[in-house]
Amino acid sequence: MDLQHPFHDENGDSLHEECGVFGAINAGSEAATTTALGLHALQHRGQEAAGISSFDGTHFYTRRGLGHVAENFSSAESIAELPGFMAVGHVRYSTTGGAGLRNVQPLYADLASGGFAIAHNGNISNAATLREELVGKGAIFQSTSDTEVIIHLVATSRYPTMLDKLTDALRLVEGAYALIVATPRGMAACRDPLGIRPLQMGRMGDAVVFASETVAFDVVGAKFEREVEPGELIEVDFDGSIRSHRPFGDNPPRPCIFEHVYFSRPDSIFAGRSVYEARKAIGSELAIEAPCEADLVVPVPDSGVPAAIGYAQQSGLPFELGIIRSHYVGRTFIQPSDGARHSGVRRKHNANRGLVEGKRIVLIDDSIVRGTTSMKIVEMMRDAGATEVHFRVASPPTAHSCYYGVDTPERSKLLAARMELEPMREFIKADSLAFISIDGLYRAVGRESRDKACPQFCDACFTGDYPTRLTDFTRNQQGAAQLSFPENKPANKVA
Amino acid sequence: MDLQHPFHDENGDSLHEECGVFGAINAGSEAATTTALGLHALQHRGQEAAGISSFDGTHFYTRRGLGHVAENFSSAESIAELPGFMAVGHVRYSTTGGAGLRNVQPLYADLASGGFAIAHNGNISNAATLREELVGKGAIFQSTSDTEVIIHLVATSRYPTMLDKLTDALRLVEGAYALIVATPRGMAACRDPLGIRPLQMGRMGDAVVFASETVAFDVVGAKFEREVEPGELIEVDFDGSIRSHRPFGDNPPRPCIFEHVYFSRPDSIFAGRSVYEARKAIGSELAIEAPCEADLVVPVPDSGVPAAIGYAQQSGLPFELGIIRSHYVGRTFIQPSDGARHSGVRRKHNANRGLVEGKRIVLIDDSIVRGTTSMKIVEMMRDAGATEVHFRVASPPTAHSCYYGVDTPERSKLLAARMELEPMREFIKADSLAFISIDGLYRAVGRESRDKACPQFCDACFTGDYPTRLTDFTRNQQGAAQLSFPENKPANKVA
Amino acid sequence: MDLQHPFHDENGDSLHEECGVFGAINAGSEAATTTALGLHALQHRGQEAAGISSFDGTHFYTRRGLGHVAENFSSAESIAELPGFMAVGHVRYSTTGGAGLRNVQPLYADLASGGFAIAHNGNISNAATLREELVGKGAIFQSTSDTEVIIHLVATSRYPTMLDKLTDALRLVEGAYALIVATPRGMAACRDPLGIRPLQMGRMGDAVVFASETVAFDVVGAKFEREVEPGELIEVDFDGSIRSHRPFGDNPPRPCIFEHVYFSRPDSIFAGRSVYEARKAIGSELAIEAPCEADLVVPVPDSGVPAAIGYAQQSGLPFELGIIRSHYVGRTFIQPSDGARHSGVRRKHNANRGLVEGKRIVLIDDSIVRGTTSMKIVEMMRDAGATEVHFRVASPPTAHSCYYGVDTPERSKLLAARMELEPMREFIKADSLAFISIDGLYRAVGRESRDKACPQFCDACFTGDYPTRLTDFTRNQQGAAQLSFPENKPANKVA
Amino acid sequence: MDLQHPFHDENGDSLHEECGVFGAINAGSEAATTTALGLHALQHRGQEAAGISSFDGTHFYTRRGLGHVAENFSSAESIAELPGFMAVGHVRYSTTGGAGLRNVQPLYADLASGGFAIAHNGNISNAATLREELVGKGAIFQSTSDTEVIIHLVATSRYPTMLDKLTDALRLVEGAYALIVATPRGMAACRDPLGIRPLQMGRMGDAVVFASETVAFDVVGAKFEREVEPGELIEVDFDGSIRSHRPFGDNPPRPCIFEHVYFSRPDSIFAGRSVYEARKAIGSELAIEAPCEADLVVPVPDSGVPAAIGYAQQSGLPFELGIIRSHYVGRTFIQPSDGARHSGVRRKHNANRGLVEGKRIVLIDDSIVRGTTSMKIVEMMRDAGATEVHFRVASPPTAHSCYYGVDTPERSKLLAARMELEPMREFIKADSLAFISIDGLYRAVGRESRDKACPQFCDACFTGDYPTRLTDFTRNQQGAAQLSFPENKPANKVA
């Protein structure tokens, strides 16, 4: 089971992590091989595009493409184009506007100090403002990516060393970032001061590897060492020496709690805790907070499965596959007008009618975003003969947009921003509806409760409590000049 | 969850259903739309190629392609090429030799009586012998498919009506077949005298639909009506009249028991029983026959899940996801030599280390074919810290090849044909190994026990008890002239 | 310069040879290599599709594709798929209806006598009638090509040897054909009784080669030996022995005179005469028959060049490039509405204004089909400042359709079938217009004059004097049942 | 006929113009349509890639691709992606290293002053030096093109207006350029101070158009107005006003004389003279300077044709097509080892044996670069039976490399840099060899003779007399640090 949630694909009814990053240094001749495999393990964090830059001691090599990692980096030919002992890679979920190949990372630039390749997971919340200033000084941007701002800040920094230049640049940016940078001197991995986006460190023989999630280490055969800490910048040299820096001082960390709920793979370790165990604990808490008289616990596959197991074990109700998922999805078919109303949904999921008929069921899903798919699933269960459908959600109501690299619908589209609990229940037509409480969620991930004064996680999508300034957003709100990036509309073949 | 078993893909370590068929008649303007969606629901029965033929009252239209249904039939353009109220479709697993596009079904021919499109699931065990005779009389074959033999037998039949011609042809063939035929007079659906391969009938408004499995009816929005019976030939006319024929007399049926074990989707009904329930019952029988002291029941995803739930419920042990499956598979990556020994396996499945470590686990898989993947999974569990690994298999030992349309390795490659139980356990390095008994399997699918004199299913892959003659195989064994089909070696662009 | 006439491409305003054939036997390991290169030299005879079948003593191999020879057969991979010492190839101009890949030749069939590959240039004028009879007896056709009729006649012939079967089949067909056939016994090359379509024989070391035109021998490095004679069937065995047969008795030959006018390359030898010399002689005759007071002789490039040189040398007027041709053609661009009226034409040809301005010019073109392009060229000359434009045509008026393998517009579209000389002149807006006389054309190709009783060439497109029966055409005219081939409408990926 | 010289393609035995440019402003809704067609007419100046940027008053749109104009810009979809009334386009011959899509022009940048699209024909001879300085100040280059230097100089210029910024930038560059620039204020077209590369101006209704050659005006339906003068910068505003500037003062012009010899299409007007007439005059001069006893004048098609006509008319010898060119070239076929030695050449050109046999011929070609193809053509003529082969070349010996945008082999590969006339004759195995003299060439293009003190053309490839400084070249010669551009080796999918 993984985290892909096919119900959500069709109409944007989901939250999407926008990126995954991977880096390997001192990896003999296999930096690109390892990075390709590591990115493949992070594929769930971004399916739209993938890229790798490598360095062989003399030259940098970059290959980027639309589509999955396997489509771009599984052939011997593709790997042969990426020689060297250091590589950095990126997978990406496409942002609005589909800006094409030039926004695919790693971004690469020839600086006066030499080559500079960067992979970035997150979002810089003052990127438009910084870009405006840089262009005013003569900088020429080649992408519409916020990441490119970092490169120009590095290129124009007056500090002497690469470490100083990078620190200088990062001090000017606000928002969330997990970065891996490759230069002719070595590799740097860095997390924003609050550690909103995740970054992990591992070892594989002489090589040091970095990845958004620990599952990538399992897949490439590396040993998980530790998290890159919030606000930490780790330098690795070609002689194997590793130095940790703390350029932003100390801040209480605020890692994204949604990694536990949905983004990370269940076999990853995040913030010191097994994601699978966290999700089972969420299900268990939910069973305590919102118990239910029913015959079966049914997960919405596949992301709802661990929480459903937790709910079933806590409640004593049997865990059953009441919805069968097809693995062959991807494109929307033309629908027969004549057929059932819901064949669109059923192409991806199908009620296990023999099981469900005549039963009271508890459905477990990870979250409700717009609510339309939840409504369809409830209806599908009833059509298959379920007598009662109780909906339990393994996260609090999602009522606020994310500005830190997660693709959320605008706020007005979020069901929980539009209505209270009972109208939500009516909207999805369930017999009962319950969300885990925010404190229940914190308990499930190992805290006593949420520290209101200084929350232990970023939970802004549930609470609206944003841990950083949102400069661009605020300027836009104030009716300032349009801050969205200028766009040289690209055709499909354009660099 | 579906039936795809990604561990098996890599080295042919699995059994493959070779085909799925779907037909729709009197479907207004949506015959092709419905057929495309129905084939998509049958995609697990054949991922290598797909085709649809339609008829609009005047002309037949055919479109066939390599790859998935979605790649070939999800666009409006592709459907627009297939107008009409009748359509027949086919998905196919490639056979040895990869004979290319010309073997993709439906096969179509212009006969003196008009167009003739046919989709076939199964295998004709005297096809080479019949082909030799037909070519001797001047017939020109355009494919190497056994199905084409049926067309030539129909084309040269001296009977007057299409029904008589088809019956005449089918009386000459032996083996297994579920056929759907479209002609300018209507549609015929037919199952071989023993009903080895499945075929189901449904309704959707005025339309009559046929499919290999009932899940296709759920997905297109049709109502399941009944099985096409073994030896039954059903004619449907354009005026909606339906006639059932029994051209081969009465025979005790022998449907393939492996449909319950692995081939069919769990949300299908086969031989009158829910496949999901059958699999849970197998797991339950297995828990009774082969209990185990352990901490966790872990399915090999995804095909082992229902049996694992059954095993867990019967045994009282907790069901847990000890193996996480990646959905992003398909191509083999270059492996870092430096990395772990098993990253090839881990690219598809990864041990949920946090869960497994220090535990005694019962692994549940659907079958063992060559045994190499079972060995790797056991090893992966141990690497993740499992203290004991007990392997339980939801089918009896697979020790014989199938000649009825299932792609099995040659007998000498089957682990159970090579060794007894204890050597098998040693081979896969499990702490214990058990298969369900043949009688246990029959009990799980609803029979008291296997009727040795006249088994209620075809179980030749377990027992070697083949229910039909195997003419071509026998002639080959007798050192007769080479009976394999002549082959005009096709290049990739060849018709 | 070659024969391609880009003015004509855009709107079907030309006659197209439909095919070229090439064969090589006893060619060591290079039969396919030689055939690919030979087909490339015949590319002007058919640009839509190409195919090669080879034989290595055991198996036949076939590769066919849409597009040019270079796109399909220039790579080492493509040639490696075609091993063996015998090969037969085909290039094809697409016929009406674009029947797709399955009509691309060579056609191949597995007969009781073994493999049978055939490449055919020409058209069988009773193919629909024969097909009807064959299907009535149970034959299944895989293409809509008239050529497939020959294969079925061979397959069902009751004669014992391949030579007898082939002769038996050819006695039943009427029309025009130059055939090359490959079987497990050797190669047969054959021309219809009147020799309407050309076929040449050459040598290249131990290999015997056949081709539609001698230029193919120059390009592959073979020595031209002689024409295959009208009505001759040449057998070549694998031991090198060559036997000539005359299965149809003796008939006065009627080769297609349009090969001299337009189809063949100027560097080919046809009917014993250099095509370049023939075209120059046509120009020379034209200068005598239709002299002109003018300043310049301007060819319509490239096919009008040799006749223009002949006209210039005979008349003493200077030969000049008054029209410049672009080599980069192929697709039609969107036209600016604002621009000149004729940019469509000018994309392909452009008036050499500096030369033409203020001059009286004689334009030389090879033929007039619909007349629309001739009109545009005249207009383009006037727009460039020509004071007088005199049009001279190197063939008599084309007033009749061809039924022998040349793609002509239906008769009602032919300008010369619709009007007399003076209205034609008015239509194309020339100051004067003249065609070479039919006797002048015969003189130019080396005959004293046309023998009215028994013409020395097939000149039916000029005279309407068809040298064979036209069975299918006559039946269609008589209101008989529709004889056009049934068509299983193919989608682009269909075999 | 055009200028493509297929003999030369195979082994780099030719000089290649590196670019063509086209621009249209105030063209209603058809700026992109007109530009696409104009680029198509300039296709001979660059076949490797093409691009267009358009502006609709608000946004810029850019589409670039590898391959021909027709492959990238003939569809309605491609044009629909380029809305607006102003467009600038570029065709490009690939330079060494094949730097891929990101070097395809127009280059586009978002400057503080708004969008900036630039198309450039020529070469900047101090580009590496300038780039080094710019990168030192923090500029990030996205291509390895010398053209990008201009953009960065504009972006960082401290002058207020776009005109001043551009002038400021161009004063810093040395070398050859014909530029078309599009900004939100209008269009600028500019030629370097010496006018080495050509640029023409035309009108088409309200639109003003610019192009490398006048033939583009004929093809789009525009009227040729005048040359952009050497050192002139023409501004065109959206209100139709046109202003001419002379930012570099007055210099005696030095346009490239090779445009007359080979680069320009014969139907273009260059430096006030018809290219066709110039080439005929060269042939005529050559007949006077180097007469010959022979039977036929044979052009090496197609570029040698006009000079051959001139030679024939002056000498009284007949002009004949002794070499027939195939239009179907492009890929190299595998050659039969068994065949003739020269089938590689013959695939493209074939001797017209019937004409050539037993004759003394004068071959006319435009230039000799490496000499290998000249040698093969002479040999092909002899193999076809020519008794004497006299080689006449329509340009002086090419003995020096070009640094102004023409792709020449390094000097040591140029035949004329390696040996004197008699050894050259021996090398190509001709009976006699003559080049036109440098003064003869000047006479042919309308000058009395070459002004040695101040030559009227750039003829550096013949004389070594370079009209500008060559800063990068000189620095490289002096053993300075490597000046070639850094290269982030691109894979085929890379932006």
Side-chain angles (χ1 to χ4, degrees), chain C residues 1-2 4 27 30 33-34 36-37 40 43-45 47 68-77 79 204-207 215 218-222 265-269 274 276-277 280 299 301-302 305-306 309 313 318-340 342-344 346-355, chain D residues 1-2 4 27 30 33-34 36-37 40 43-45 47 68-77 79 204-207 215 218-222 265-269 274 276-277 280 299 301-302 305-306 309 313 318-340 342-344 346-355:
Chain C
M1 330 239 153
D2 74 353
Q4 201 186 8
E30 295 182 323
T33 302
T34 304
L37 201 54
H40 175 74
Q43 186 75 80
H44 58 284
R45 299 183 74 87
Q47 292 99 49
H68 284 192
V69 178
E71 295 167 42
N72 288 287
F73 295 106
S74 58
S75 69
E77 293 71 28
I79 294 297
M204 182 171 161
D206 291 338
V215 67
D218 291 349
V219 168
V220 303
R265 262 179 63 157
D267 43 350
S268 280
I269 309 292
S274 151
Y276 179 76
E277 291 301 332
K280 274 187 60 185
D302 284 348
V305 171
I309 293 174
Q313 291 181 354
F319 168 89
E320 298 280 2
L321 301 184
I323 301 173
I324 303 298
R325 171 180 176 184
S326 168
H327 282 187
Y328 306 99
V329 292
R331 305 191 198 199
T332 299
F333 278 73
I334 297 175
Q335 296 299 330
S337 56
D338 218 35
H342 307 298
S343 57
R346 285 180 186 162
R347 182 169 59 85
K348 295 176 175 173
H349 287 68
N350 189 39
N352 191 349
R353 178 181 298 267
L355 177 74
Chain D
M1 332 245 150
D2 72 354
Q4 200 186 8
E30 294 181 323
T33 303
T34 302
L37 200 55
H40 176 74
Q43 186 75 80
H44 58 283
R45 298 183 76 86
Q47 292 99 50
H68 284 192
V69 179
E71 293 166 44
N72 288 289
F73 296 105
S74 58
S75 70
E77 292 72 27
I79 295 298
M204 184 172 159
D206 291 338
V215 66
D218 292 348
V219 168
V220 303
R265 261 178 64 157
D267 42 349
S268 280
I269 308 294
S274 150
Y276 179 77
E277 291 302 333
K280 274 187 59 187
D302 284 349
V305 172
I309 292 174
Q313 291 181 355
F319 169 89
E320 298 280 1
L321 301 184
I323 301 172
I324 303 297
R325 173 180 175 186
S326 168
H327 282 186
Y328 306 99
V329 293
R331 305 193 197 197
T332 299
F333 278 73
I334 297 175
Q335 298 297 333
S337 57
D338 218 35
H342 307 298
S343 56
R346 285 179 185 162
R347 182 170 59 85
K348 296 177 174 173
H349 289 68
N350 189 37
N352 191 348
R353 177 181 298 268
L355 176 76

Side-chain angles (χ1 to χ4, degrees), chain A residues 229-248:
Chain A
E229 288 174 34
E232 186 182 15
L233 190 162
I234 299 179
E235 267 191 303
V236 188
D237 287 355
F238 297 139
D239 62 6
S241 64
I242 299 177
R243 280 181 301 280
S244 169
H245 305 273
R246 294 227 150 243
F248 316 111

Side-chain angles (χ1 to χ4, degrees), chain C residues 57 91 97-98 117 147 149 151 176 241 251 293 308 322 326 337 353 401 445 452 479 487 490:
Chain C
V91 289
T147 308
V149 165
I151 304 183
S241 64
N251 301 279
E293 287 233 347
S326 168
S337 56
R353 178 181 298 267
S401 295
V445 301
K452 285 202 183 69
E487 183 103 32

Side-chain angles (χ1 to χ4, degrees), chain D residues 6-337:
Chain D
F7 260 112
H8 293 166
D9 290 341
E10 206 152 76
N11 44 12
D13 193 359
S14 70
L15 305 186
H16 289 282
E17 181 65 31
E18 282 183 5
C19 300
V21 296
F22 191 94
I25 180 171
N26 302 326
S29 61
E30 294 181 323
T33 303
T34 302
T35 301
L37 200 55
L39 290 179
H40 176 74
L42 300 173
Q43 186 75 80
H44 58 283
R45 298 183 76 86
Q47 292 99 50
E48 300 296 327
I52 298 178
S53 291
S54 74
F55 179 69
D56 65 2
T58 310
H59 293 293
F60 279 86
Y61 306 84
T62 296
R63 186 180 160 92
R64 307 182 293 174
L66 301 179
H68 284 192
V69 179
E71 293 166 44
N72 288 289
F73 296 105
S74 58
S75 70
E77 292 72 27
S78 62
I79 295 298
E81 291 177 8
L82 296 163
F85 48 84
M86 174 169 70
V88 54
H90 194 266
V91 290
R92 180 171 181 270
Y93 183 83
S94 79
T95 53
T96 332
L101 199 50
R102 73 206 161 113
N103 278 344
V104 178
Q105 301 198 9
L107 297 184
Y108 175 84
D110 285 309
L111 306 187
S113 54
F116 184 91
I118 184 168
H120 169 215
N121 176 21
N123 188 59
I124 297 174
S125 56
N126 65 337
T129 306
L130 290 171
R131 180 181 170 121
E132 205 175 72
E133 290 168 15
L134 285 159
V135 169
K137 291 175 186 156
I140 297 176
F141 278 71
Q142 55 183 296
S143 75
T144 56
S145 159
D146 59 336
T147 307
E148 194 178 352
V149 166
I150 298 175
I151 305 183
H152 282 278
L153 290 173
V154 169
T156 54
S157 171
R158 284 157 312 169
Y159 283 84
T161 69
M162 179 49 67
L163 179 70
D164 289 342
K165 285 174 195 286
L166 184 57
T167 305
D168 183 33
L170 294 179
R171 283 205 179 105
L172 293 169
V173 309
E174 76 186 28
Y177 49 85
L179 296 176
I180 306 179
V181 170
T183 78
R185 308 278 169 276
M187 180 168 277
C190 181
R191 241 171 128 190
D192 65 72
L194 304 178
I196 298 176
R197 299 261 66 87
L199 193 58
Q200 313 289 343
M201 180 177 176
R203 295 269 193 173
M204 184 172 159
D206 291 338
V208 175
V209 290
F210 295 98
S212 296
E213 293 184 34
T214 63
V215 66
F217 301 150
D218 292 348
V219 168
V220 303
K223 214 172 122 298
F224 169 45
E225 188 149 312
R226 65 172 178 89
E227 284 211 358
V228 177
E229 288 175 34
E232 185 181 15
L233 190 163
I234 298 180
E235 266 191 304
V236 187
D237 287 355
F238 297 139
D239 62 5
S241 64
I242 299 176
R243 280 181 301 282
S244 168
H245 305 273
R246 294 224 149 247
F248 315 112
D250 275 336
N251 301 279
R254 298 284 290 270
C256 168
I257 203 164
F258 222 90
E259 293 283 344
H260 268 317
V261 169
Y262 177 79
F263 296 144
S264 288
R265 261 178 64 157
D267 42 349
S268 280
I269 308 294
F270 173 67
R273 188 172 172 83
S274 150
V275 173
Y276 179 77
E277 291 302 333
R279 287 187 193 161
K280 274 187 59 187
I282 293 171
S284 188
E285 282 286 336
L286 197 51
I288 294 166
E289 290 189 354
C292 191
E293 287 232 347
D295 302 309
L296 311 172
V297 176
V298 169
V300 177
D302 284 349
S303 55
V305 172
I309 292 174
Y311 195 102
Q313 291 181 355
Q314 176 67 33
S315 66
L317 297 174
F319 169 89
E320 298 280 1
L321 301 184
I323 301 172
I324 303 297
R325 173 180 175 186
S326 168
H327 282 186
Y328 306 99
V329 293
R331 305 193 197 197
T332 299
F333 278 73
I334 297 175
Q335 298 297 333
S337 57

Side-chain angles (χ1 to χ4, degrees), chain A residues 3 41 44 213 215 263-268 275 279, chain B residues 324 326 350:
Chain A
L3 353 159
H44 58 283
E213 294 184 33
V215 66
F263 296 144
S264 286
R265 262 178 64 157
D267 42 350
S268 280
V275 174
R279 286 187 193 162
Chain B
I324 303 297
S326 167
N350 188 39

Side-chain angles (χ1 to χ4, degrees), chain A residues 1-2 4 27 30 33-34 36-37 40 43-44 47 68-77 79 204-207 215 218-222 265-267 269 274 276-277 280 299 301-302 305-306 309 313 318-329 331-340 342-344 346-355, chain B residues 1-2 4 27 30 33-34 36-37 40 43-44 47 68-77 79 204-207 215 218-222 265-267 269 274 276-277 280 299 301-302 305-306 309 313 318-329 331-340 342-344 346-355:
Chain A
M1 333 244 150
D2 73 352
Q4 198 186 10
E30 293 181 324
T33 303
T34 303
L37 201 54
H40 176 75
Q43 186 75 80
H44 58 283
Q47 292 98 50
H68 284 192
V69 179
E71 294 167 43
N72 288 288
F73 295 105
S74 58
S75 70
E77 292 72 26
I79 295 299
M204 183 172 161
D206 291 337
V215 66
D218 291 348
V219 168
V220 303
R265 262 178 64 157
D267 42 350
I269 310 294
S274 151
Y276 179 78
E277 291 302 332
K280 273 187 61 186
D302 283 348
V305 171
I309 292 174
Q313 291 180 355
F319 169 89
E320 297 281 0
L321 301 184
I323 302 174
I324 303 298
R325 172 180 177 185
S326 168
H327 281 187
Y328 305 99
V329 292
R331 305 193 197 198
T332 299
F333 278 74
I334 296 175
Q335 297 298 332
S337 57
D338 219 34
H342 307 299
S343 57
R346 286 181 184 161
R347 181 168 61 83
K348 294 176 175 175
H349 289 68
N350 190 38
N352 191 349
R353 177 181 300 269
L355 177 75
Chain B
M1 332 242 151
D2 74 354
Q4 200 186 8
E30 295 182 322
T33 302
T34 304
L37 201 54
H40 176 73
Q43 186 76 80
H44 59 284
Q47 292 99 49
H68 284 193
V69 178
E71 295 167 43
N72 288 289
F73 295 105
S74 58
S75 69
E77 293 71 28
I79 294 298
M204 183 172 161
D206 292 337
V215 67
D218 292 347
V219 168
V220 303
R265 263 179 61 158
D267 43 349
I269 310 294
S274 152
Y276 179 77
E277 291 302 333
K280 275 187 59 187
D302 284 346
V305 172
I309 292 174
Q313 292 181 354
F319 168 90
E320 298 281 2
L321 301 184
I323 301 173
I324 303 297
R325 172 180 175 186
S326 167
H327 282 188
Y328 306 98
V329 294
R331 305 193 197 196
T332 299
F333 278 73
I334 297 176
Q335 298 298 333
S337 56
D338 219 35
H342 306 298
S343 57
R346 286 180 185 161
R347 182 169 59 84
K348 296 176 173 173
H349 289 68
N350 188 39
N352 190 348
R353 177 181 299 267
L355 177 76

